[in-house]
Amino acid sequence: MKRRWPYLVLVLLVALVAGYFWATVPVQYAAPASPDAGVRNNPYLAAQQLLDRWGRPSRRIFSTRALFPLPDTDTTLILDGDRGSLGYERQLDLLNWVHDGGNLIIAGRYQPPLDAWFDEADEAEEAEEAESEQHEAEQGQQRDPDPLLSLFGVTVEALPLEDTEDDPLVQLFDRFRPMEDWFLEYCLSGDASEERLHQCEVLTCEAPGHWQPPAVTHNLGDHPRRLQSETPSRLLYTPLPEDTATGGPDQWLAASASNDTGETLLRFRAGAGTVTVLTELGLWDNQHLHHFDHARLLADLTAPGPVWFVRGIDIPPLPIWLWERFWPAIFALILALAFWLWRRLPRRGPLWRDPARQHTDYLGHLRAIGHFHWRTGQSDRLLASLRQQIQRRIALQHADPARALALAAKRLDIPEHTLSQALEQTPTDRAQCVAMVALLQQVRQRIRSQP
């Protein structure tokens, strides 16, 4: 009986674990998560990834001046509404590029209405300015705020703003907007059941009505597309005069999109290319690309080639900006670098010196010869002459060389082996050579002085 207890306990544990997984259901929830820096710094990251999946390489241009020289005509240029002034010549270059077959998408500049800038106390002044602007418009002297759109006969008109500060529904919607983002993340995670797929599709693809109802396209493909713009503005189109050379219109309206408030999209055929004007590019940012038919519209309006998202900053690229503002400092640095290279580069042949300043030093010449012999391993040649003089003196002491060396060492009071090393051994270092020369000079002087 005692041997069965472990098996019973093991069976009980297995039954408890199986009962836990059978009786419980996993709970799924969505937690808020902040996007990374790549998503925060690039509002069109989702659109670019979608274009890359379609085989249309995309890139971002951080200056309208960086467009020039313009790319090939198979490229689609998307210019946002915050672009700087291009200048008349570059506007003509852009227009000629479109007529050659380029595809251009422009976002109109939103101009807030006048009543949004003044208080109620300035209503009289506002009325006077409105009357003056109306008078100028009647005379045809009103200035277009966007000269690039005026090339295509398009102007942007601001819609009157509605007072929604005291609307409780708007405040409630703004308060619960983070919950919408959490649910969207939950739907995109792929953990939703089949029963909730339709609800997720409706909530993620149908944008809430913030400002104006969705616009529907006309004459753009076989199926109409729906898009929504959160910018309170509309587009006005004035047909351009006919071209006197061809007798027909220089451009014509090919497609459009409108709602109850007016036109939201205008698409023209200009020569061999196309121009599309939108009230804004917010429909293609990371938060609105999945709404309605915005992604399908991106595919319809872009060409099969590369797509460039041009950020409207009126600042040239960094090398051009540095040259325009700091060219004296850059030029001075280039001169300093050239002078330093001229000083450091090797020259052919020795440097020229004035012969009048060259002084012949015999002692320096001897030192140079001695240093040369010592550096090339010819130290014995330095001592040969001195050793020969001493050996001739020692040979006069006796016929036998060994006996003569012993007598000379005894007479000079120098150890015989020390004198023998000085006369025969090769010095190994500089100190030994100096000591050997000093000894040999002392021996030569003493031998000369003795009879």
Side-chain angles (χ1 to χ4, degrees), residues 84-104:
S85 178
L86 293 177
Y88 183 72
E89 295 182 356
R90 291 184 174 178
Q91 290 179 13
L92 291 182
D93 294 340
L94 193 60
L95 182 61
N96 294 331
W97 177 80
V98 171
H99 279 267
D100 292 339
N103 186 19
L104 179 62

Side-chain angles (χ1 to χ4, degrees), residues 346-415:
R347 299 177 177 84
R348 298 181 180 179
L351 294 176
W352 179 84
R353 295 182 180 180
D354 190 2
R357 297 184 178 181
Q358 297 181 2
H359 303 283
T360 303
D361 187 1
Y362 186 70
L363 181 60
H365 179 65
L366 293 179
R367 289 178 178 175
I369 294 178
H371 179 69
F372 172 77
H373 283 84
W374 173 262
R375 183 168 53 84
T376 56
Q378 305 181 38
S379 58
D380 292 338
R381 296 187 61 182
L382 298 175
L383 305 176
S385 177
L386 184 57
R387 287 175 175 178
Q388 290 176 2
Q389 295 179 13
I390 297 175
Q391 287 174 355
R392 284 197 301 267
R393 289 284 184 173
I394 292 177
L396 297 177
Q397 302 293 329
H398 197 276
D400 186 8
R403 182 60 180 170
L405 182 63
L407 293 174
K410 183 177 180 181
R411 182 175 297 179
L412 297 175
D413 194 13
I414 299 175

Side-chain angles (χ1 to χ4, degrees), residues 424-445:
E424 298 176 359
Q425 186 178 3
T426 301
T428 57
D429 53 8
R430 185 181 182 90
Q432 185 179 4
C433 181
V434 173
M436 194 176 294
V437 171
L439 178 61
L440 293 176
Q441 288 180 349
Q442 182 182 3
V443 170
R444 183 183 63 177
Q445 185 178 2

Side-chain angles (χ1 to χ4, degrees), residues 17 41 76 109 122 133 140 156 159 195 217 237 257 292 350 367 382 386 450:
V17 173
N41 297 332
T76 301
R109 292 182 179 178
D122 299 332
E133 289 186 358
V156 181
L159 298 177
E195 300 177 356
T217 60
Y237 173 59
F292 296 110
R367 289 178 178 175
L382 298 175
L386 184 57
Q450 293 180 1

Side-chain angles (χ1 to χ4, degrees), residues 44 77-84 104-111 145-149 152 154-156 229 231 233 235 264-266 275-284 309-310 312:
Y44 305 110
L77 299 181
I78 303 178
L79 279 66
D80 64 359
D82 297 329
R83 59 190 172 274
L104 179 62
I105 300 176
I106 311 174
R109 292 182 179 178
Y110 168 63
Q111 300 291 337
D146 194 341
L148 182 59
L149 294 181
F152 308 101
V154 179
T155 57
V156 181
S229 175
T231 302
S233 60
L235 303 176
T264 305
L265 181 148
L266 295 174
V275 179
T276 305
V277 182
L278 296 167
T279 54
E280 62 162 351
L281 297 181
L283 69 161
W284 291 332
F309 289 87
V310 184

Side-chain angles (χ1 to χ4, degrees), residues 124-382:
E125 184 179 356
E126 176 186 354
E128 293 179 0
E129 293 185 0
E131 291 179 1
S132 62
E133 289 186 358
Q134 183 178 3
H135 181 68
E136 291 179 356
E138 292 176 356
Q139 294 181 354
Q141 298 176 357
Q142 187 175 4
R143 183 178 60 88
D144 195 328
D146 194 341
L148 182 59
L149 294 181
S150 64
L151 296 177
F152 308 101
V154 179
T155 57
V156 181
E157 183 182 38
L159 298 177
L161 298 177
E162 296 181 359
D163 189 9
T164 58
E165 294 181 358
D166 300 332
D167 192 351
L169 294 178
V170 175
Q171 295 179 1
L172 183 64
F173 179 78
D174 293 337
R175 183 175 302 176
F176 287 96
R177 184 171 296 180
M179 296 182 62
E180 175 194 354
D181 298 336
W182 299 347
F183 190 79
L184 174 60
E185 183 178 356
Y186 170 70
C187 290
L188 295 179
S189 63
D191 298 332
S193 61
E194 295 182 359
E195 300 177 356
R196 300 181 182 177
L197 288 178
H198 178 69
Q199 183 181 4
C200 287
E201 181 180 356
V202 172
L203 292 179
T204 55
C205 296
E206 298 293 336
H210 294 302
W211 171 253
Q212 49 185 328
V216 181
T217 60
H218 308 282
N219 301 326
L220 184 62
D222 299 333
H223 303 282
R225 308 298 187 187
R226 290 193 303 167
L227 68 149
Q228 186 180 50
S229 175
E230 294 187 352
T231 302
S233 60
R234 61 184 175 184
L235 303 176
L236 301 179
Y237 173 59
T238 303
L240 297 178
E242 296 183 357
D243 190 0
T244 56
T246 60
D250 188 42
Q251 67 179 26
W252 62 94
L253 184 63
S256 63
S258 60
N259 53 15
D260 297 339
T261 59
E263 301 290 342
T264 305
L265 181 148
L266 295 174
R267 185 171 178 85
F268 305 97
R269 295 290 300 180
T274 57
V275 179
T276 305
V277 182
L278 296 167
T279 54
E280 62 162 351
L281 297 181
L283 69 161
W284 291 332
D285 60 14
N286 299 329
Q287 298 179 354
H288 303 89
L289 181 64
H290 60 281
H291 287 165
F292 296 110
D293 299 324
H294 294 175
R296 296 176 182 269
L297 193 64
L298 179 64
D300 295 339
L301 297 181
T302 55
V307 180
W308 290 9
F309 289 87
V310 184
R311 186 178 180 183
I313 301 177
D314 196 14
I315 298 178
L318 182 59
I320 300 177
W321 183 81
L322 290 175
W323 179 255
E324 289 179 351
R325 287 165 173 78
F326 301 99
W327 68 267
I330 296 176
F331 188 69
L333 290 176
I334 293 175
L335 290 180
L337 179 62
F339 179 74
W340 180 80
L341 291 175
W342 177 78
R343 294 283 297 175
R344 299 294 297 179
L345 288 177
R347 299 177 177 84
R348 298 181 180 179
L351 294 176
W352 179 84
R353 295 182 180 180
D354 190 2
R357 297 184 178 181
Q358 297 181 2
H359 303 283
T360 303
D361 187 1
Y362 186 70
L363 181 60
H365 179 65
L366 293 179
R367 289 178 178 175
I369 294 178
H371 179 69
F372 172 77
H373 283 84
W374 173 262
R375 183 168 53 84
T376 56
Q378 305 181 38
S379 58
D380 292 338
R381 296 187 61 182
L382 298 175

